[in-house]
Structure formats: C-alpha cells, structure tokens
Coordinates of all heavy atoms in Angstrom, one line a residue:
M1 N 0.9 -1.2 0.0 CA 0.0 0.0 0.0 C 0.8 1.3 0.0 O 1.8 1.4 0.7 CB -0.9 0.0 1.2 CG -1.9 1.1 1.3 SD -2.9 0.9 2.7 CE -3.9 2.4 2.6
R2 N 0.6 2.2 -0.9 CA 1.4 3.4 -0.9 C 0.9 4.5 0.0 O -0.3 4.6 0.3 CB 1.2 4.0 -2.4 CG 1.9 3.2 -3.4 CD 1.8 4.0 -4.8 NE 2.4 3.1 -5.7 CZ 1.9 2.9 -6.9 NH1 0.7 3.4 -7.3 NH2 2.4 2.1 -7.8
T3 N 1.8 5.0 0.6 CA 1.5 6.1 1.6 C 1.2 7.4 0.9 O 1.6 7.5 -0.3 CB 2.6 6.3 2.6 OG1 3.8 6.8 1.9 CG2 3.0 5.0 3.3
S4 N 0.5 8.4 1.6 CA 0.3 9.7 1.0 C 1.8 10.3 0.7 O 1.8 11.1 -0.3 CB -0.5 10.6 1.8 OG 0.1 10.8 3.0
A5 N 2.7 10.1 1.4 CA 4.1 10.6 1.2 C 4.6 10.1 -0.1 O 5.1 10.9 -0.9 CB 5.0 10.3 2.3
T6 N 4.4 8.8 -0.4 CA 5.0 8.2 -1.6 C 4.2 8.8 -2.9 O 4.8 9.1 -3.8 CB 4.8 6.7 -1.6 OG1 5.5 6.2 -0.5 CG2 5.3 6.1 -2.9
R7 N 2.9 9.0 -2.7 CA 2.1 9.6 -3.7 C 2.6 11.0 -4.1 O 2.7 11.5 -5.2 CB 0.6 9.5 -3.4 CG -0.1 8.1 -3.6 CD -1.5 8.2 -3.6 NE -2.0 8.6 -2.3 CZ -2.4 7.7 -1.4 NH1 -2.2 6.5 -1.5 NH2 -2.8 8.2 -0.1
R8 N 2.7 11.7 -2.9 CA 3.2 13.1 -3.1 C 4.6 13.2 -3.8 O 4.8 14.0 -4.7 CB 3.2 13.8 -1.8 CG 3.7 15.3 -1.8 CD 3.6 16.0 -0.4 NE 4.3 15.3 0.6 CZ 3.8 14.8 1.7 NH1 2.5 14.8 1.9 NH2 4.6 14.1 2.5
E9 N 5.4 12.3 -3.4 CA 6.8 12.3 -4.0 C 6.7 11.9 -5.4 O 7.4 12.5 -6.3 CB 7.7 11.3 -3.2 CG 8.1 11.7 -1.9 CD 8.9 10.7 -1.1 OE1 9.1 9.6 -1.7 OE2 9.5 11.0 -0.1
R10 N 5.9 11.0 -5.8 CA 5.7 10.6 -7.3 C 5.1 11.9 -8.1 O 5.6 12.1 -9.2 CB 4.8 9.4 -7.4 CG 5.5 8.2 -7.0 CD 4.5 7.0 -7.1 NE 5.2 5.9 -6.5 CZ 5.4 4.7 -7.1 NH1 4.9 4.5 -8.3 NH2 5.9 3.7 -6.4
R11 N 4.2 12.6 -7.5 CA 3.7 13.8 -8.1 C 4.9 14.8 -8.4 O 5.0 15.4 -9.4 CB 2.6 14.4 -7.4 CG 1.2 13.8 -7.5 CD 0.1 14.6 -7.0 NE 0.3 15.2 -5.7 CZ 0.0 14.6 -4.5 NH1 -0.6 13.4 -4.5 NH2 0.2 15.2 -3.4
W12 N 5.7 15.0 -7.3 CA 6.8 15.9 -7.4 C 7.7 15.4 -8.5 O 8.3 16.2 -9.3 CB 7.5 16.0 -6.1 CG 6.9 16.9 -5.0 CD1 5.9 17.9 -5.3 CD2 7.0 16.9 -3.6 NE1 5.5 18.4 -4.0 CE2 6.1 17.8 -3.1 CE3 7.8 16.0 -2.8 CZ2 6.1 18.0 -1.7 CZ3 7.8 16.3 -1.5 CH2 6.9 17.2 -0.9
M13 N 8.0 14.1 -8.5 CA 8.9 13.6 -9.5 C 8.4 13.7 -10.9 O 9.1 14.0 -11.8 CB 9.2 12.1 -9.3 CG 10.1 11.9 -8.0 SD 11.7 12.6 -8.3 CE 12.7 11.3 -7.8
E14 N 7.0 13.6 -11.1 CA 6.5 13.8 -12.4 C 6.6 15.2 -12.8 O 6.9 15.5 -14.1 CB 4.9 13.4 -12.4 CG 4.8 11.9 -12.5 CD 5.4 11.3 -13.7 OE1 5.0 11.7 -14.8 OE2 6.3 10.4 -13.6
R15 N 6.4 16.2 -12.0 CA 6.6 17.6 -12.3 C 8.0 17.8 -12.8 O 8.3 18.5 -13.8 CB 6.3 18.5 -11.2 CG 4.8 18.6 -10.9 CD 4.5 19.5 -9.7 NE 3.0 19.4 -9.3 CZ 2.7 19.3 -8.0 NH1 3.5 19.4 -7.0 NH2 1.4 19.2 -7.8
L16 N 9.0 17.2 -12.0 CA 10.4 17.4 -12.4 C 10.7 16.7 -13.8 O 11.3 17.3 -14.6 CB 11.3 16.8 -11.3 CG 12.8 16.8 -11.7 CD1 13.3 18.2 -11.9 CD2 13.6 16.1 -10.5
R17 N 10.1 15.6 -14.0 CA 10.2 14.8 -15.3 C 9.8 15.7 -16.4 O 10.5 15.8 -17.4 CB 9.5 13.5 -15.2 CG 9.8 12.7 -16.5 CD 9.0 11.3 -16.3 NE 7.7 11.5 -16.6 CZ 7.1 11.3 -17.8 NH1 7.8 11.2 -18.9 NH2 5.8 11.5 -17.9
H18 N 8.7 16.3 -16.2 CA 8.1 17.1 -17.3 C 9.0 18.3 -17.6 O 9.3 18.7 -18.8 CB 6.7 17.6 -17.0 CG 5.6 16.5 -17.2 ND1 5.3 16.1 -18.4 CD2 5.0 15.8 -16.2 CE1 4.4 15.0 -18.3 NE2 4.2 14.9 -16.9
C19 N 9.6 19.0 -16.5 CA 10.5 20.1 -16.7 C 11.8 19.6 -17.5 O 12.2 20.4 -18.3 CB 10.9 20.7 -15.3 SG 9.5 21.5 -14.5
L20 N 12.3 18.5 -17.0 CA 13.5 18.0 -17.6 C 13.2 17.7 -19.2 O 14.1 18.0 -20.0 CB 14.0 16.8 -17.0 CG 14.7 17.1 -15.6 CD1 14.7 15.8 -14.7 CD2 16.0 17.7 -15.8
L21 N 12.1 17.0 -19.4 CA 11.8 16.7 -20.9 C 11.7 18.0 -21.7 O 12.2 18.1 -22.8 CB 10.5 16.0 -20.9 CG 10.5 14.5 -20.4 CD1 9.1 13.9 -20.3 CD2 11.4 13.7 -21.3
G22 N 11.1 19.0 -21.1 CA 11.0 20.4 -21.7 C 12.3 21.0 -21.9 O 12.5 21.8 -22.9
L23 N 13.4 20.7 -21.2 CA 14.7 21.1 -21.4 C 15.5 20.2 -22.4 O 16.7 20.6 -22.7 CB 15.5 21.2 -20.1 CG 15.0 22.3 -19.1 CD1 15.8 22.2 -17.8 CD2 15.1 23.7 -19.8
G24 N 14.9 19.2 -22.9 CA 15.6 18.3 -23.9 C 16.2 17.1 -23.3 O 16.9 16.4 -24.1
W25 N 16.1 16.8 -22.1 CA 16.8 15.6 -21.5 C 15.9 14.4 -21.7 O 14.7 14.5 -21.7 CB 17.0 15.9 -20.0 CG 18.0 17.0 -19.7 CD1 17.7 18.3 -19.6 CD2 19.5 16.9 -19.8 NE1 18.9 19.0 -19.4 CE2 20.0 18.2 -19.6 CE3 20.3 15.8 -20.0 CZ2 21.3 18.4 -19.5 CZ3 21.7 16.1 -19.9 CH2 22.2 17.4 -19.7
D26 N 16.5 13.3 -21.7 CA 15.8 12.0 -21.7 C 15.7 11.6 -20.2 O 16.6 11.8 -19.4 CB 16.6 10.9 -22.4 CG 16.7 11.1 -23.9 OD1 15.8 11.9 -24.4 OD2 17.6 10.7 -24.5
V27 N 14.5 11.1 -19.9 CA 14.2 10.9 -18.5 C 13.6 9.4 -18.3 O 12.6 9.1 -19.0 CB 13.3 11.8 -17.7 CG1 13.1 11.6 -16.3 CG2 13.8 13.3 -17.9
V28 N 14.1 8.7 -17.4 CA 13.6 7.3 -17.2 C 13.1 7.2 -15.8 O 13.7 7.7 -14.8 CB 14.6 6.2 -17.4 CG1 14.1 4.8 -17.1 CG2 15.2 6.3 -18.9
R29 N 11.8 6.9 -15.6 CA 11.2 6.7 -14.3 C 11.7 5.4 -13.6 O 11.6 4.3 -14.3 CB 9.7 6.8 -14.4 CG 9.2 8.1 -14.7 CD 7.7 8.1 -14.7 NE 7.4 7.7 -16.1 CZ 6.1 8.0 -16.6 NH1 5.1 8.4 -15.9 NH2 5.9 7.7 -17.9
R30 N 12.0 5.5 -12.4 CA 12.2 4.2 -11.7 C 11.4 4.3 -10.3 O 11.9 4.8 -9.3 CB 13.8 4.1 -11.2 CG 14.7 4.2 -12.4 CD 14.8 2.8 -12.9 NE 15.9 2.8 -13.9 CZ 16.0 2.0 -14.9 NH1 15.1 1.1 -15.2 NH2 17.0 2.1 -15.8
Y31 N 10.2 3.8 -10.5 CA 9.3 3.9 -9.4 C 9.0 2.6 -8.7 O 8.0 2.4 -7.9 CB 7.9 4.5 -9.8 CG 8.0 6.0 -10.2 CD1 6.9 6.6 -10.8 CD2 9.1 6.8 -10.1 CE1 6.9 7.9 -11.2 CE2 9.2 8.1 -10.4 CZ 8.1 8.7 -11.0 OH 8.2 10.0 -11.4
E32 N 9.7 1.5 -9.2 CA 9.4 0.1 -8.6 C 9.7 0.1 -7.1 O 8.9 -0.6 -6.5 CB 10.2 -0.9 -9.4 CG 10.1 -0.9 -10.9 CD 11.0 0.1 -11.6 OE1 12.1 0.4 -11.0 OE2 10.7 0.6 -12.6
D33 N 10.7 0.7 -6.7 CA 11.1 0.7 -5.3 C 10.1 1.6 -4.5 O 9.4 2.4 -5.1 CB 12.5 1.0 -5.1 CG 13.4 0.0 -5.8 OD1 13.1 -1.2 -5.8 OD2 14.6 0.4 -6.2
E34 N 10.3 1.6 -3.2 CA 9.5 2.4 -2.3 C 9.9 3.8 -2.5 O 9.1 4.7 -2.4 CB 9.8 2.0 -0.8 CG 8.8 2.5 0.1 CD 8.9 1.9 1.4 OE1 8.8 0.7 1.5 OE2 9.0 2.8 2.4
R35 N 11.1 4.2 -2.9 CA 11.7 5.5 -3.1 C 11.7 5.8 -4.6 O 12.5 5.2 -5.2 CB 13.0 5.6 -2.5 CG 13.6 6.9 -2.5 CD 14.8 7.0 -1.8 NE 15.1 8.3 -1.1 CZ 16.2 8.6 -0.5 NH1 17.0 7.8 -0.2 NH2 16.3 9.9 -0.1
P36 N 10.9 6.7 -5.0 CA 10.9 7.1 -6.4 C 12.3 7.7 -6.9 O 12.9 8.4 -6.1 CB 9.8 8.1 -6.6 CG 9.1 8.2 -5.3 CD 9.9 7.5 -4.3
L37 N 12.6 7.4 -8.1 CA 14.0 7.8 -8.6 C 13.8 8.2 -10.1 O 13.0 7.5 -10.8 CB 15.0 6.8 -8.5 CG 16.4 7.0 -9.0 CD1 17.5 6.5 -8.0 CD2 16.6 6.4 -10.3
L38 N 14.4 9.3 -10.6 CA 14.4 9.6 -12.0 C 15.9 9.5 -12.4 O 16.8 9.9 -11.8 CB 14.0 11.0 -12.2 CG 12.6 11.4 -12.0 CD1 12.3 12.9 -12.3 CD2 11.6 10.5 -12.8
R39 N 16.0 8.8 -13.6 CA 17.4 8.7 -14.2 C 17.3 9.7 -15.4 O 16.5 9.6 -16.3 CB 17.5 7.3 -14.8 CG 18.9 7.0 -15.3 CD 20.0 6.9 -14.3 NE 21.2 6.8 -15.0 CZ 22.3 7.4 -14.7 NH1 22.4 8.4 -13.8 NH2 23.4 7.3 -15.4
V40 N 18.2 10.7 -15.3 CA 18.2 11.8 -16.3 C 19.4 11.5 -17.2 O 20.6 11.3 -16.7 CB 18.4 13.2 -15.6 CG1 18.5 14.2 -16.7 CG2 17.4 13.4 -14.5
L41 N 19.2 11.4 -18.5 CA 20.1 11.1 -19.5 C 20.3 12.1 -20.6 O 19.3 12.7 -21.0 CB 19.8 9.7 -20.1 CG 19.7 8.6 -19.2 CD1 19.1 7.4 -19.9 CD2 21.1 8.2 -18.6
S42 N 21.5 12.3 -21.0 CA 21.8 13.2 -22.1 C 21.3 12.7 -23.5 O 21.5 11.5 -23.7 CB 23.3 13.5 -22.2 OG 23.6 14.2 -23.4
P43 N 20.6 13.5 -24.2 CA 20.2 13.0 -25.6 C 21.4 12.8 -26.5 O 21.3 12.2 -27.5 CB 19.2 14.1 -26.0 CG 19.6 15.3 -25.3 CD 20.1 14.9 -24.0
V44 N 22.6 13.4 -26.1 CA 23.8 13.4 -27.0 C 24.5 12.0 -26.7 O 25.0 11.5 -27.7 CB 24.7 14.6 -26.6 CG1 26.1 14.5 -27.3 CG2 24.0 15.8 -27.0
S45 N 24.5 11.6 -25.5 CA 25.2 10.4 -25.1 C 24.6 9.8 -23.9 O 24.6 10.4 -22.8 CB 26.7 10.6 -24.9 OG 27.3 9.4 -24.5
T46 N 24.0 8.7 -23.9 CA 23.3 8.1 -22.8 C 24.2 7.6 -21.7 O 23.8 7.2 -20.7 CB 22.4 6.9 -23.2 OG1 23.2 5.9 -23.9 CG2 21.3 7.3 -24.1
C47 N 25.6 7.7 -21.9 CA 26.5 7.3 -20.8 C 26.6 8.5 -19.9 O 27.2 8.4 -18.9 CB 27.8 6.9 -21.4 SG 28.8 8.3 -22.2
I48 N 26.1 9.7 -20.2 CA 26.2 10.9 -19.4 C 24.7 11.1 -18.8 O 23.7 11.1 -19.4 CB 26.4 12.1 -20.2 CG1 27.9 12.1 -20.8 CG2 26.3 13.4 -19.4 CD1 28.2 13.1 -21.8
G49 N 24.7 11.0 -17.4 CA 23.5 11.2 -16.7 C 23.6 11.3 -15.2 O 24.8 11.3 -14.7
D50 N 22.5 11.4 -14.5 CA 22.5 11.5 -13.2 C 21.1 10.9 -12.6 O 20.2 10.8 -13.5 CB 22.6 12.9 -12.7 CG 23.1 13.1 -11.3 OD1 23.2 12.1 -10.6 OD2 23.2 14.2 -10.8
S51 N 21.1 10.6 -11.4 CA 19.8 10.1 -10.7 C 19.4 11.2 -9.9 O 20.1 12.0 -9.3 CB 20.1 8.8 -10.0 OG 20.5 7.8 -10.8
V52 N 18.1 11.4 -9.7 CA 17.5 12.3 -8.8 C 16.5 11.6 -7.9 O 15.7 10.8 -8.3 CB 16.7 13.4 -9.5 CG1 16.1 14.4 -8.6 CG2 17.7 14.2 -10.4
V53 N 16.6 11.8 -6.6 CA 15.8 11.3 -5.6 C 15.2 12.5 -4.7 O 15.7 13.6 -4.8 CB 16.4 10.3 -4.6 CG1 16.9 9.1 -5.4 CG2 17.7 10.9 -3.8
I54 N 14.2 12.2 -3.9 CA 13.7 13.1 -2.9 C 14.2 12.7 -1.5 O 14.2 11.5 -1.1 CB 12.2 13.1 -3.0 CG1 11.7 13.6 -4.3 CG2 11.6 14.0 -1.8 CD1 10.2 13.6 -4.5
D55 N 14.7 13.8 -0.9 CA 15.3 13.6 0.4 C 14.9 14.8 1.3 O 15.3 15.9 1.1 CB 16.8 13.5 0.3 CG 17.5 13.1 1.6 OD1 16.8 13.0 2.6 OD2 18.7 12.9 1.5
G56 N 14.0 14.5 2.3 CA 13.6 15.5 3.1 C 12.8 16.7 2.5 O 13.0 17.9 2.9
G57 N 12.1 16.5 1.4 CA 11.4 17.6 0.8 C 12.2 18.3 -0.2 O 11.7 19.3 -0.7
W58 N 13.4 17.8 -0.6 CA 14.3 18.4 -1.6 C 14.6 17.4 -2.7 O 14.7 16.2 -2.3 CB 15.5 18.8 -0.9 CG 15.5 20.1 -0.2 CD1 14.8 20.5 0.8 CD2 16.1 21.3 -0.7 NE1 14.9 21.9 1.2 CE2 15.8 22.4 0.2 CE3 17.0 21.7 -1.8 CZ2 16.2 23.7 0.2 CZ3 17.4 23.0 -1.9 CH2 17.0 24.0 -0.9
F59 N 14.8 17.9 -3.8 CA 15.3 17.0 -4.8 C 16.8 16.9 -4.7 O 17.5 18.0 -4.4 CB 15.1 17.6 -6.3 CG 13.6 17.6 -6.8 CD1 13.0 18.7 -6.8 CD2 13.0 16.3 -7.0 CE1 11.6 18.7 -7.2 CE2 11.7 16.2 -7.4 CZ 11.1 17.5 -7.5
R60 N 17.4 15.8 -4.7 CA 18.9 15.6 -4.5 C 19.4 14.7 -5.6 O 18.9 13.7 -6.0 CB 19.1 14.9 -3.2 CG 20.6 14.8 -2.9 CD 20.9 14.2 -1.5 NE 20.2 13.0 -1.2 CZ 20.6 11.8 -1.5 NH1 21.6 11.7 -2.2 NH2 19.9 10.8 -1.1
S61 N 20.6 15.2 -6.2 CA 21.2 14.5 -7.2 C 21.9 13.3 -6.6 O 22.2 13.1 -5.5 CB 22.3 15.4 -7.7 OG 23.3 14.7 -8.5
G62 N 22.1 12.3 -7.5 CA 22.8 11.1 -7.1 C 24.3 11.3 -6.7 O 24.9 10.6 -6.0
T63 N 24.8 12.5 -7.0 CA 26.1 12.9 -6.6 C 26.1 13.6 -5.2 O 27.1 14.0 -4.7 CB 26.7 13.9 -7.6 OG1 25.9 15.0 -7.7 CG2 26.9 13.2 -9.0
G64 N 24.9 13.7 -4.7 CA 24.7 14.3 -3.3 C 24.4 15.8 -3.4 O 24.3 16.4 -2.3
V65 N 24.3 16.5 -4.5 CA 24.1 17.9 -4.6 C 22.6 18.1 -4.3 O 21.7 17.4 -5.0 CB 24.5 18.4 -6.0 CG1 24.0 19.8 -6.1 CG2 25.9 18.2 -6.3
W66 N 22.3 19.0 -3.5 CA 20.9 19.5 -3.3 C 20.4 20.4 -4.4 O 21.1 21.4 -4.6 CB 20.8 20.2 -1.9 CG 21.2 19.3 -0.8 CD1 22.4 19.2 -0.2 CD2 20.4 18.3 -0.1 NE1 22.3 18.2 0.9 CE2 21.1 17.6 0.8 CE3 19.1 17.9 -0.3 CZ2 20.6 16.7 1.7 CZ3 18.5 16.8 0.5 CH2 19.4 16.2 1.5
L67 N 19.4 20.0 -5.0 CA 19.0 20.7 -6.3 C 18.1 21.8 -6.1 O 18.3 22.9 -6.5 CB 18.4 19.7 -7.3 CG 19.4 18.6 -7.7 CD1 18.6 17.5 -8.4 CD2 20.6 19.1 -8.5
A68 N 17.0 21.6 -5.3 CA 16.0 22.5 -5.1 C 14.8 21.9 -4.2 O 14.7 20.7 -4.2 CB 15.3 23.1 -6.4
P69 N 14.1 22.7 -3.6 CA 12.9 22.1 -2.8 C 12.0 21.4 -3.9 O 11.9 21.9 -5.0 CB 12.3 23.4 -2.1 CG 13.3 24.4 -2.1 CD 14.2 24.2 -3.3
C70 N 11.3 20.5 -3.4 CA 10.4 19.7 -4.3 C 9.3 20.6 -4.9 O 8.8 20.3 -6.0 CB 9.8 18.5 -3.5 SG 11.0 17.3 -3.2
R71 N 8.9 21.7 -4.3 CA 7.9 22.6 -4.8 C 8.5 23.4 -5.9 O 7.7 24.2 -6.6 CB 7.3 23.5 -3.8 CG 6.6 22.6 -2.7 CD 5.8 23.5 -1.8 NE 5.4 22.8 -0.6 CZ 4.3 22.0 -0.6 NH1 3.6 21.7 -1.6 NH2 3.9 21.4 0.6
E72 N 9.7 23.3 -6.3 CA 10.4 24.1 -7.3 C 11.1 23.2 -8.3 O 12.2 23.2 -8.6 CB 11.4 25.0 -6.7 CG 10.8 26.0 -5.7 CD 11.9 26.9 -5.1 OE1 12.9 27.3 -5.7 OE2 11.6 27.4 -3.9
A73 N 10.2 22.4 -9.0 CA 10.7 21.5 -10.0 C 11.5 22.1 -11.2 O 12.4 21.6 -11.6 CB 9.5 20.6 -10.5
D74 N 11.1 23.3 -11.6 CA 11.7 24.0 -12.6 C 13.1 24.4 -12.2 O 14.1 24.2 -13.0 CB 11.0 25.2 -13.1 CG 10.6 26.2 -12.0 OD1 10.6 25.8 -10.8 OD2 10.3 27.3 -12.4
R75 N 13.3 24.8 -11.0 CA 14.6 25.1 -10.5 C 15.6 23.9 -10.4 O 16.7 24.0 -10.8 CB 14.5 25.8 -9.2 CG 15.8 26.4 -8.6 CD 15.5 27.2 -7.4 NE 16.5 26.9 -6.4 CZ 16.4 27.0 -5.0 NH1 15.3 27.6 -4.6 NH2 17.3 26.7 -4.2
A76 N 14.9 22.8 -9.9 CA 15.7 21.6 -9.9 C 16.1 21.1 -11.3 O 17.3 20.6 -11.5 CB 14.9 20.4 -9.1
A77 N 15.3 21.2 -12.2 CA 15.6 20.8 -13.6 C 16.7 21.6 -14.2 O 17.7 21.0 -14.8 CB 14.4 20.9 -14.5
E78 N 16.7 22.9 -13.9 CA 17.8 23.7 -14.3 C 19.1 23.3 -13.6 O 20.2 23.4 -14.2 CB 17.5 25.2 -14.1 CG 16.4 25.7 -15.0 CD 15.9 27.1 -14.7 OE1 16.5 27.8 -13.8 OE2 14.8 27.5 -15.2
A79 N 19.0 23.0 -12.3 CA 20.2 22.6 -11.6 C 20.8 21.3 -12.2 O 22.0 21.1 -12.3 CB 19.9 22.4 -10.1
V80 N 20.0 20.4 -12.5 CA 20.5 19.1 -13.1 C 21.2 19.4 -14.5 O 22.2 19.0 -14.8 CB 19.3 18.1 -13.3 CG1 19.8 16.9 -14.2 CG2 18.7 17.6 -12.1
A81 N 20.5 20.3 -15.2 CA 21.1 20.7 -16.6 C 22.5 21.3 -16.3 O 23.5 21.0 -17.1 CB 20.2 21.6 -17.3
Q82 N 22.6 22.1 -15.4 CA 23.9 22.8 -15.0 C 25.0 21.8 -14.7 O 26.1 21.9 -15.0 CB 23.8 23.8 -14.0 CG 23.0 25.1 -14.5 CD 22.8 26.2 -13.4 OE1 23.0 25.9 -12.2 NE2 22.4 27.4 -13.8
L83 N 24.5 20.8 -13.8 CA 25.5 19.8 -13.4 C 26.1 19.0 -14.6 O 27.2 18.6 -14.6 CB 24.9 18.8 -12.4 CG 24.7 19.4 -11.0 CD1 23.8 18.4 -10.1 CD2 26.0 19.6 -10.3
L84 N 25.1 18.7 -15.5 CA 25.5 17.7 -16.6 C 26.1 18.5 -17.8 O 26.7 17.9 -18.6 CB 24.3 16.9 -16.9 CG 23.8 15.9 -15.9 CD1 22.5 15.3 -16.4 CD2 24.9 15.0 -15.5
A85 N 25.8 19.8 -18.0 CA 26.2 20.5 -19.1 C 27.7 20.3 -19.4 O 28.0 20.1 -20.7 CB 25.9 22.0 -19.0
P86 N 28.7 20.5 -18.5 CA 30.0 20.3 -18.9 C 30.4 19.0 -19.6 O 31.2 19.0 -20.5 CB 30.8 20.6 -17.6 CG 29.8 21.3 -16.6 CD 28.4 20.8 -17.1
Y87 N 29.8 17.9 -19.1 CA 30.0 16.6 -19.7 C 29.5 16.6 -21.1 O 30.1 16.0 -22.0 CB 29.4 15.6 -18.8 CG 30.1 15.7 -17.4 CD1 29.3 16.2 -16.4 CD2 31.3 15.2 -17.1 CE1 29.8 16.3 -15.1 CE2 31.8 15.3 -15.8 CZ 31.1 15.8 -14.8 OH 31.6 16.0 -13.6
V88 N 28.3 17.1 -21.3 CA 27.7 17.1 -22.6 C 28.5 17.9 -23.6 O 28.8 17.5 -24.7 CB 26.2 17.6 -22.6 CG1 25.6 17.8 -23.9 CG2 25.3 16.7 -21.7
I89 N 28.9 19.0 -23.1 CA 29.8 20.0 -23.9 C 31.1 19.2 -24.3 O 31.5 19.3 -25.5 CB 30.1 21.3 -23.2 CG1 28.8 22.1 -23.1 CG2 31.2 22.1 -24.0 CD1 28.9 23.3 -22.3
A90 N 31.7 18.5 -23.4 CA 32.9 17.8 -23.7 C 32.7 16.7 -24.7 O 33.5 16.5 -25.6 CB 33.4 17.1 -22.4
I91 N 31.6 16.0 -24.7 CA 31.3 15.0 -25.7 C 31.1 15.6 -27.1 O 31.7 15.1 -28.1 CB 30.0 14.2 -25.3 CG1 30.3 13.3 -24.1 CG2 29.5 13.4 -26.5 CD1 31.1 12.1 -24.4
V92 N 30.4 16.7 -27.2 CA 30.1 17.4 -28.4 C 31.4 17.9 -29.0 O 31.7 17.7 -30.2 CB 29.1 18.5 -28.2 CG1 29.0 19.5 -29.5 CG2 27.7 18.0 -27.9
M93 N 32.3 18.5 -28.2 CA 33.6 19.0 -28.6 C 34.4 17.9 -29.1 O 35.0 18.0 -30.1 CB 34.3 19.7 -27.5 CG 33.5 21.0 -27.0 SD 33.4 22.3 -28.1 CE 35.1 23.0 -28.1
A94 N 34.5 16.8 -28.4 CA 35.3 15.7 -28.8 C 34.8 15.1 -30.2 O 35.6 14.8 -31.1 CB 35.2 14.6 -27.8
R95 N 33.5 15.0 -30.3 CA 32.9 14.5 -31.7 C 33.3 15.5 -32.8 O 33.6 15.0 -33.9 CB 31.4 14.4 -31.5 CG 31.1 13.2 -30.7 CD 29.6 12.9 -30.6 NE 29.3 11.8 -29.8 CZ 28.1 11.5 -29.4 NH1 27.1 12.3 -29.7 NH2 27.9 10.4 -28.6
Q96 N 33.2 16.8 -32.5 CA 33.6 17.8 -33.5 C 35.0 17.6 -33.9 O 35.3 17.7 -35.1 CB 33.3 19.2 -33.0 CG 31.8 19.5 -33.1 CD 31.5 20.9 -32.5 OE1 32.5 21.5 -31.9 NE2 30.3 21.4 -32.6
Q97 N 35.9 17.4 -32.9 CA 37.3 17.3 -33.3 C 37.5 16.0 -34.1 O 38.4 16.0 -35.0 CB 38.1 17.2 -32.0 CG 38.3 18.6 -31.3 CD 39.0 18.5 -30.0 OE1 39.3 17.5 -29.5 NE2 39.2 19.7 -29.4
E98 N 36.8 14.9 -33.8 CA 37.0 13.7 -34.6 C 36.6 13.9 -36.1 O 37.1 13.3 -36.9 CB 36.1 12.6 -34.0 CG 36.6 12.1 -32.7 CD 35.7 11.1 -32.1 OE1 34.6 10.8 -32.6 OE2 36.0 10.5 -31.0
D99 N 35.5 14.8 -36.3 CA 35.1 15.0 -37.6 C 36.0 16.0 -38.4 O 36.0 16.0 -39.6 CB 33.6 15.7 -37.5 CG 32.6 14.7 -37.0 OD1 32.8 13.5 -37.0 OD2 31.5 15.2 -36.6
D100 N 36.8 16.8 -37.7 CA 37.8 17.7 -38.4 C 38.9 16.9 -39.0 O 39.4 15.9 -39.0 CB 38.2 18.7 -37.4 CG 37.1 19.7 -37.0 OD1 36.0 19.8 -37.8 OD2 37.3 20.5 -36.1

C-alpha cells in the first residue's frame, strides 16, 4: 500500500520529469522501489546522466548535490542541466574534433 508521502513524492517527480523533458533531457522513471527515482540522461550520449531522488522535501542529485525544494521542480531541472552541461559539452567538442 502506498502512503500519501509516496504519492506526493511521485507527483513531485512527475513535475520534475516534465520540466527535464522540456529542457531536452531523456528521463527514465524508476518507481518500482519504495523510493521514487528519476534517471536523467543526455540525448547526446546516454552514458552521461544522473539520478534524482527526494530527500527531506528536496530534490537531491545522485552525486549528493541538493538541487531545489520539491515545490520548485523547474529550478531543480535547471540545476540538473547545469551539473551535466560540462560533460555534454565535452562529448560534443570531442565529436567535432573527430570530424575535423
């Protein structure tokens, strides 16, 4: 049986998922376990990504970075994008050098 906290966390995760999709990220839901998790993947290279969980009413990156309060999904999505952007840029630059 799901608790109201779990339902609330899933709603928050769904809001974050929609924000991330709007920014162009690929997002995989992992809701099988008791604790919902989103796997955020770069559309450029699926080996670049991060996981997001809810911890104490905040979105937290798999790397331990506090992203934003759960009521601010758009801010959390932007924070994930900022964390992953350097890696995506490095992949794009490396591919461009290969092509030259």
Side-chain angles (χ1 to χ4, degrees):
M1 183 174 176
R2 291 188 181 130
T3 65
S4 61
T6 303
R7 284 192 294 269
R8 182 175 54 242
E9 287 177 355
R10 288 177 189 233
R11 280 195 312 269
W12 286 336
M13 288 297 229
E14 282 301 304
R15 289 181 189 138
L16 177 58
R17 185 178 76 86
H18 287 287
C19 290
L20 288 163
L21 290 170
L23 292 175
W25 295 93
D26 294 334
V27 184
V28 179
R29 288 179 268 198
R30 302 277 190 210
Y31 293 172
E32 304 85 30
D33 295 331
E34 196 170 305
R35 185 177 206 180
L37 177 140
L38 291 180
R39 183 77 182 129
V40 183
L41 302 167
S42 165
V44 173
S45 176
T46 56
C47 68
I48 297 172
D50 198 0
S51 297
V52 178
V53 296
I54 292 175
D55 190 350
W58 278 68
F59 291 113
R60 184 175 50 83
S61 163
T63 60
V65 174
W66 297 97
L67 302 168
C70 290
R71 297 190 190 283
E72 299 180 28
D74 54 342
R75 186 171 138 202
E78 290 172 12
V80 171
Q82 287 178 348
L83 284 173
L84 296 176
Y87 303 102
V88 173
I89 291 168
I91 290 285
V92 170
M93 299 292 285
R95 287 182 181 167
Q96 286 178 347
Q97 288 177 353
E98 288 174 2
D99 291 342
D100 290 344

